[in-house]
Each structure stands twice: as C-alpha cells, then as structure tokens.
Amino acid sequence: MMPTPFCFTSSSPLLLLIDMQQAVDHPDWGPRNHPQAEQVCGHLLAGWRQRGLPLIHIRHDSIDPNSTYRPGQEGHAFKPEVAPLPGETVIAKQTNSAFIGTGLEALLRDKGWLELVVVGVSTSNSIEATVRMAGNLGFKVWLAEDACFTFDKTDWQGRHRRAEEVHAMSLANLDGEYCRVLTSQDVLAALEHS
C-alpha cells in the first residue's frame, strides 16, 4: 500500500529560515553533515518566493564577544544562497529559540500563519529549540531534515559523536511530538499539490 502523500493543512504555510549565516563556515564549528543544505534551503526559498507564500528569515545577533555570529563581523552576514530580498521579513534573536525576546509569535498569530516549515542551522541547537517551542505554542510544524545541518559533538560521557548522529538524535527528539520530520522533496511536492 502506498503511503499517503504529505499535504499542507493551510493555504499559506510559512517558511522559517533559522540562522543561515556565514558564521557557521568558521572552522571552529568542526565537521558538519548535509553539505548541500544551503542549496536545498535555496531551492525551498525559491519555491516559496515563486508562489508568494510567507517567509521569515531569523538572524542570530550574538552578544557573546567570541561568537562567530556577533554583529559587525563577516560571519554575521546571511549565506548568499538564502539571503533575504528587499521587503522580506528578518527577525533578530539573541538566544537559541527564535521565539524568545522577539516578536515572532505575535507576528505569526497576527497574520494567521499557524503552519510552519522550518529549515536552517543547527539541528541540535536553534532548530531544536525553536521547533520545540513552536510545537508547545500550538503551531503545526514541519521540519525539512535535509535543509538543516549540525556539527560533530562530544556527548555527556565524553564520546565523540559525528554530526550525522547528532542530527539524527535531534530529529528523533522532535518527530511526532513537536513536529513532523520530512524531506525537502516532500515539502516541494506538497507545494505543487496545494
């Protein structure tokens, strides 16, 4: 039996792009997974723009003087594949969740944008924090897993974990409770059928 294709429940799902900035190219971050994630995000972004669907860019404005995301340096700039166009909404944040200390929730509710497709970086930090909060706040959330990436990490017991493992565990933490995890192809197919 063929699985039921994924469909959006609203006519205007919002694309939420999180922290897609040049900061993550700094070698201090270490090895990452999904090296094509920027291109995948760009492809999704083009689909949203072509259809005139709502989208929001989240920009991390770190207050940590050692952060590669600190304003005033090269890493603060958006990656060229997903740079905002004039008139597109950019919301700045200073914590890992895009909902803390920002007007994101109020804007989404005011516009009636209650269905979100989330992409960006990093899966185990700002993506996970934002998706958890969005789910808890009652938003319908879809996470395009190949349009996200993370980095190698040492676990609590001192074992080195590859970025692929860290990414997979974050997805397992989120799927079914805070969001539904999909591929970008699932999302684009749903756009075609909306």
Side-chain angles (χ1 to χ4, degrees):
M1 183 178 228
M2 292 285 291
T4 305
F6 157 66
C7 294
F8 291 115
T9 58
S10 79
S11 60
S12 57
L14 178 132
L15 183 65
L16 189 64
L17 302 105
I18 298 178
D19 298 354
M20 290 298 288
Q21 294 159 257
Q22 295 179 34
V24 295
D25 295 335
H26 195 282
D28 284 355
W29 287 92
R32 60 173 271 195
N33 68 320
H34 287 170
Q36 300 302 313
E38 288 87 346
Q39 289 75 24
V40 174
C41 284
H43 197 52
L44 289 171
L45 182 55
W48 253 255
R49 286 171 172 162
Q50 180 183 358
R51 292 163 178 82
L53 292 170
L55 59 99
I56 295 175
H57 302 265
I58 302 296
R59 185 188 69 223
H60 192 68
D61 291 353
S62 179
I63 56 175
D64 178 349
N66 298 315
S67 173
T68 59
Y69 276 104
R70 185 173 38 82
Q73 59 182 347
E74 186 177 305
H76 188 251
F78 284 101
K79 287 185 159 275
E81 300 92 337
V82 291
L85 295 178
E88 291 181 348
T89 302
V90 176
I91 294 178
K93 68 178 180 63
Q94 293 183 332
T95 68
N96 50 17
S97 173
F99 288 97
I100 300 293
T102 71
L104 178 60
E105 181 185 3
L107 176 61
L108 295 175
R109 294 199 189 284
D110 181 61
K111 298 287 190 179
W113 297 330
L114 306 179
E115 186 171 18
L116 316 177
V117 175
V118 178
V119 301
V121 61
S122 75
T123 320
S124 57
N125 194 311
S126 291
I127 296 294
E128 191 164 344
T130 299
V131 168
R132 283 175 182 267
M133 197 156 187
N136 283 332
L137 289 169
F139 292 96
K140 188 165 195 68
V141 184
W142 312 99
L143 179 59
E145 74 85 18
D146 54 331
C148 301
F149 62 95
T150 193
F151 304 90
D152 283 17
K153 197 167 184 68
T154 301
D155 74 16
W156 186 249
Q157 297 174 330
R159 290 176 294 191
H160 178 81
R161 301 292 184 174
R162 292 177 12 264
E164 292 82 0
E165 296 176 275
V166 178
H167 181 79
M169 185 54 70
S170 287
L171 299 178
N173 289 339
L174 297 171
D175 187 45
E177 187 167 358
Y178 303 97
C179 71
R180 179 172 168 196
V181 175
L182 304 166
T183 67
S184 61
Q185 289 191 351
D186 293 329
V187 173
L188 289 169
L191 276 186
E192 292 294 332
H193 295 99
S194 294

